[in-house]
Amino acid sequence: MEELWPRPTPEVADAIRSLCQLLLTDTDVLTEAIAGPSLTAQNDPALLSDASLVEEDRHLNRSELVQWLTSNVQQPGRRVEPYIGPRTTAYIHDLVSRGIAPDFVGGWRVALGIGWRRWLEECAARCENSDLLVEVLDVSAKSMVQYAVDSVSALREASLAAAMGNADAEAIALIQLIACGAPITEDLAEGRLRYRMSRAHVGLVLWTDDPQQAGAVDEVVAAVRSASAGRSALVARASATSRWVWLSDSATPDLRQVEKIVAKAEDVRAAVGRPGHGLDGFRSSHQDALAAQAMVIRLGSTRRFTAYADVELIDGLTKDRACAQRFVTKTLGPLSEADEVLRNALLTYVQCGFNTTRAAAKLYAHRNTIERRVSRANELSVVKVEDNPTHVAAALLVLDIAPDIVGTALS
């Protein structure tokens, strides 16, 4: 690449190299500081609503940060060439195929502001010589700003290349419009997608957390289709690591077989929406599935199969992780960190309508054993189950989905 400013002096180069080496040890924290505000600034609801794409955008932020820091360790203060690797290329392809056009300039403007503030803090703390500080800031500002300009240009070029090579864009764009609530008629949707809308639907999101296991997602999709004989199935590539699936039938589709298939695939997870009918059901079940996926990822849960109908209350409670943590701690107190067996006994007892015999049968334990566990769990809980069973059950459900939430620091 053409160099646009003079090389820094050896002293300035050494200072920049040392600062970059320091920040490379803290890239995860810096990425988290940048990723959220940058994503919001890109101002695209379709991107914000898809947890798989959000994760890919966070990875892109990290890659861009590491690229600038490592390049400035090797060649301090020079122009840095953007890196558009295979994962970024796949991410851009997914955005284009779904008609998502983020404001890369807006995202970079926010990211640059946050990154520059952190850089200023480190420079001010470690450059005791004022003349050296001015030189370091002057050179690094040129490098950072040019890197932002070059990166936006590279992302736009990748988007253009993806658009030119995308043969399925029309169908995927139509699915995106339906999912976002555009006024599409059932006849138009059925004709374009070759999928019957005037039936009962269940929306699923299938995904993997490991990009190397993307093939496993397609294997699960194939197995789900095979097990859904007699039903209609529609599959859309949502991202490199996730697929959107709709199953329809004259009656509400039974998803027990899907749960069994997912259970056998170690690297694949599923989120399922509530059943719905017609075009509105197609849309709402999909939105439910996306919400369930986002909740699982937000809480760092290891759940493999999540039905939104089972976690709708928990989704609302945990939109703010810190608030959810406080709710659990204030409700359960010592019980939140007690043996999982005690918590499970109390939760099952509440779910069984305070019937010890039914809870014992469900847990395959003796009635007296369940009584002892429930009694001990209630002793440990700050809020007693007889005083507020709704709060106790909700807090226990949060822990059931995200057992590590109490052990993490409040932000």
Side-chain angles (χ1 to χ4, degrees), residues 216-232:
V217 179
D218 290 321
E219 290 176 6
V220 169
V221 169
V224 168
R225 275 183 151 165
S226 178
S228 301
R231 301 177 189 156
S232 296

Side-chain angles (χ1 to χ4, degrees), residues 144-271:
M144 278 192 192
V145 171
Q146 190 61 46
Y147 182 55
V149 172
D150 292 339
S151 294
V152 169
S153 177
L155 289 170
R156 285 174 171 168
E157 288 179 8
S159 298
L160 179 60
M164 293 175 64
N166 183 25
D168 299 321
E170 184 179 352
I172 298 173
L174 180 61
I175 291 172
Q176 184 69 45
L177 285 172
I178 295 170
C180 292
I184 307 293
T185 65
E186 283 193 357
D187 289 344
L188 175 62
E190 287 186 356
R192 295 281 184 85
L193 300 175
R194 298 180 182 179
Y195 173 83
R196 290 187 62 185
M197 289 291 172
S198 55
R199 306 178 85 188
H201 306 277
V202 172
L204 300 87
V205 177
L206 298 170
W207 82 98
T208 179
D209 298 319
D210 182 1
Q212 300 300 318
Q213 298 298 326
V217 179
D218 290 321
E219 290 176 6
V220 169
V221 169
V224 168
R225 275 183 151 165
S226 178
S228 301
R231 301 177 189 156
S232 296
L234 177 64
V235 179
R237 175 192 164 106
S239 73
T241 57
S242 68
R243 304 290 181 267
W244 293 347
V245 181
W246 287 263
L247 301 176
S248 74
D249 205 338
S250 55
T252 301
D254 183 354
L255 293 176
R256 286 176 294 184
Q257 190 64 32
V258 176
E259 186 172 3
K260 291 178 182 178
I261 292 169
V262 172
K264 295 176 182 177
E266 293 183 6
D267 299 301
V268 179
R269 302 208 273 171

Side-chain angles (χ1 to χ4, degrees), residues 5 14 18 23 29-30 35 40-41 78 111 120 147 154 160 181 210 239 255-256 261 265 277 291 312 331-332 370 404:
W5 56 89
D14 286 343
S18 296
L23 289 174
V29 172
L30 190 50
T40 302
R78 308 309 294 142
L120 280 175
Y147 182 55
L160 179 60
D210 182 1
S239 73
L255 293 176
R256 286 176 294 184
I261 292 169
H277 191 276
E312 184 175 7
T331 302
L332 301 181
I370 297 303
D404 295 331

Side-chain angles (χ1 to χ4, degrees), residues 203-207 269-273 288-290 292-293 296 304-308:
L204 300 87
V205 177
L206 298 170
W207 82 98
R269 302 208 273 171
V272 183
D288 285 350
L290 287 177
Q293 181 200 25
V296 167
R304 302 281 308 289
F305 188 91
T306 305
Y308 189 68

